[in-house]
Amino acid sequence: MRNSRQIQIGSVSIGAQSPIVVQSMCTEKIQNTETVLRQIITLAEAGAGIVRLAVDSKSDAAALAIVAHEIQRLNSSFRQKINLSVDLQENYRIAEQIAPFVQKLRYNPGHLHHTEKDISWREKVRWLVNLARNHDLALRIGVNCGSIDPRKKMEENPIFASAIEHAEWLEELGFARYCVSLKDSRPKNVVAINRLFAQKMPEVPIHLGVTEAGAPPRGIQKSRAALEPLLFEGIGDTLRISLTIPSDRKTEEVAAGLELIRDVSEGKKTDEFCLEENQSALDIISCPSCSRVQNARFVELAMRVQEETLYAREFPFTIAVMGCRVNGPGESDHADLGLWCGAECVNFKRRGELLGSFSYDEILPRLKAELDLLIEDWSDKNGIQSGTEES
């Protein structure tokens, strides 16, 4: 039984005894208003109680206004199913243009330090809280491993420390209509930090997810490994299964989320992905396809990386395939092999060192060559024959 307080997000409520709400995120760029509207409708029809959008500029905000106007023209009963949330990145001030058209704003504490450096983070959050109050909005404090608050990087648990600091500030401001997400790309870490937060601030609703879980089926398995035990413990009020998939398959995120909730409600547990084993086998991290991806070939590349590195699945390395600037630099720096995909080329790193930029056609052979070198080196150090030849 969940102990969190209930908050309203448009026509849905989360927390307390409310049903767990499934979310997804549009892959279409907001300025393509017709395709975005169709995707919002499709995701809502599939069962997404909240649909998230990326809005980064004044022109994006103007496009959002058009989309919101078209939503208002829909059948009233269906219109009630659509609740929009927007990600705020470096330009948090854009929230002023966004607020009239959405039901929730999500901000990342790590991004508040990128602009207006003479203004404290507390004052920036106070401004967002006042905006939320004036427009009847909920907020999400969204903390994840790829974009840590620079002040918290030396903490023992920077994600947890950042989330607590911001949640306590919102409480001090007397604003209770918010939830928190604490995301990592590793299921074991997701379980640990969400347990910590739920113990420290049990009244705060939690949005669950594994950031950069990757392509299905492994992305679903990783997500279930993290979210299933938390849900069985009563932790979690809304969730997203974040998958690297093409735009026309985005409803698979919703279907996977609904299936997880149904299985937990029926007491069904899975053991498809072991948290402990994940630490000693190949871990492929790839961010969910969203509208900030600069080249749609990123999704195809991430899926091919998963398929063509199966021969290395028993080796304890991490490969990150990232599609945009938000978490791309951080995750690609932290991985053994990191691909940060741009509009025309892929930046390739080995343990944080830039090896160069390669075309989408060149990068996969280059990645596999470096992976083979890592395996050979690891095998030599451990006195094991590498056996990486592909059959």
Side-chain angles (χ1 to χ4, degrees):
M1 182 177 294
R2 299 190 301 284
N3 298 317
S4 57
R5 62 185 167 225
Q6 188 176 75
I7 67 168
Q8 198 71 23
I9 304 171
S11 63
V12 298
S13 59
I14 65 170
Q17 300 308 302
S18 301
I20 297 171
V21 174
V22 172
Q23 302 188 24
S24 186
M25 186 171 184
C26 281
T27 56
E28 302 293 343
K29 296 188 183 303
I30 188 66
Q31 294 190 41
N32 299 329
T33 55
E34 291 185 9
T35 54
V36 167
L37 179 63
R38 285 197 297 270
Q39 190 167 48
I40 290 170
I41 292 171
T42 299
L43 291 171
E45 287 175 335
I50 299 171
V51 177
R52 194 147 56 100
L53 302 163
V55 179
D56 296 323
S57 65
K58 289 183 178 179
S59 55
D60 283 354
L64 173 63
I66 295 171
V67 171
H69 175 73
E70 292 301 314
I71 289 173
Q72 291 304 310
R73 298 176 61 184
L74 298 174
N75 176 279
S76 59
S77 60
F78 182 75
R79 188 172 67 236
Q80 291 297 310
K81 297 180 180 180
I82 297 176
N83 300 289
L84 301 181
S85 175
V86 163
D87 264 2
L88 301 177
Q89 299 300 332
E90 293 88 346
N91 183 17
Y92 76 99
R93 293 285 187 186
I94 198 68
E96 195 164 21
Q97 283 76 54
I98 295 169
F101 309 111
V102 299
Q103 287 70 52
K104 185 175 73 168
L105 296 171
R106 180 262 192 182
Y107 79 88
N108 184 329
H111 290 153
L112 290 179
H113 297 268
H114 294 173
T115 58
E116 299 182 352
K117 295 183 179 180
D118 57 324
I119 301 176
S120 72
W121 71 266
R122 291 181 185 274
E123 288 309 306
K124 293 173 184 177
V125 172
R126 187 196 299 272
W127 183 83
L128 287 171
V129 164
N130 289 336
L131 191 72
R133 283 186 172 126
N134 293 338
H135 291 274
D136 194 27
L137 304 180
L139 292 177
R140 167 154 61 112
I141 302 168
V143 191
N144 66 55
C145 58
S147 49
I148 296 292
D149 183 333
R151 298 175 305 109
K152 298 295 180 184
K153 287 186 176 181
M154 301 307 294
E155 297 269 357
E156 180 180 354
N157 193 328
I159 297 175
F160 173 72
S162 185
I164 289 293
E165 181 179 61
H166 279 255
E168 289 179 343
W169 178 231
L170 262 62
E171 296 290 335
E172 190 173 334
L173 292 173
F175 186 79
R177 195 175 171 187
Y178 73 95
C179 63
V180 169
S181 61
L182 305 92
K183 295 187 179 183
D184 195 281
S185 54
R186 294 159 184 81
K188 188 175 182 179
N189 293 348
V190 172
V191 173
I193 56 179
N194 279 278
R195 281 174 175 162
L196 276 176
F197 186 88
Q199 183 178 23
K200 177 74 173 179
M201 301 188 75
E203 72 281 5
V204 178
I206 295 177
H207 169 75
L208 295 178
V210 175
T211 187
E212 300 117 21
R218 191 171 177 84
I220 295 174
Q221 293 166 355
K222 286 176 73 173
S223 296
R224 289 189 71 119
L227 275 54
E228 186 178 278
L230 292 169
L231 292 174
F232 270 108
E233 294 170 23
I235 298 171
D237 305 282
T238 173
L239 61 84
R240 178 187 175 199
I241 307 292
S242 301
L243 301 175
T244 310
I245 45 178
S247 183
D248 60 356
R249 293 173 53 189
K250 202 62 177 174
T251 56
E252 291 180 28
E253 287 192 347
V254 182
L258 292 172
E259 182 179 27
L260 171 59
I261 293 168
R262 182 170 59 252
D263 286 350
V264 170
S265 70
E266 295 174 358
K268 296 179 182 177
K269 294 185 178 182
T270 60
D271 56 359
E272 293 178 309
F273 192 92
C274 176
L275 296 182
E276 296 299 331
E277 289 178 357
N278 182 38
Q279 306 304 308
S280 59
L282 183 67
D283 187 15
I284 298 176
I285 297 167
S286 63
C287 58
S289 41
C290 79
S291 61
R292 290 193 177 98
V293 169
Q294 294 179 282
N295 190 321
R297 292 186 68 183
F298 151 75
V299 176
E300 177 190 354
L301 176 62
M303 298 176 83
R304 287 192 65 193
V305 167
Q306 179 170 280
E307 294 167 0
E308 298 196 27
T309 58
L310 284 172
Y311 69 94
R313 61 184 174 273
E314 301 301 325
F315 293 90
F317 302 122
T318 301
I319 300 175
V321 188
M322 307 303 295
C324 77
R325 72 180 192 281
V326 177
N327 295 321
E331 286 289 359
S332 58
D333 278 344
H334 298 153
D336 293 297
L337 297 173
L339 309 183
W340 177 16
C341 303
E344 303 295 334
C345 61
V346 180
N347 302 297
F348 185 29
K349 299 177 183 177
R350 174 174 168 149
R351 293 173 175 163
E353 178 186 354
L354 182 65
L355 300 179
S357 296
F358 302 89
S359 72
Y360 279 83
D361 293 324
E362 298 171 324
I363 188 60
L364 196 55
R366 188 74 173 86
L367 169 73
K368 292 167 73 176
E370 288 294 330
L371 178 58
D372 289 345
L373 289 174
L374 286 179
I375 293 172
E376 183 179 349
D377 182 59
W378 183 90
S379 299
D380 287 344
K381 289 179 179 177
N382 289 274
I384 300 172
Q385 185 175 353
S386 63
T388 61
E389 295 81 3
E390 297 176 68
S391 58

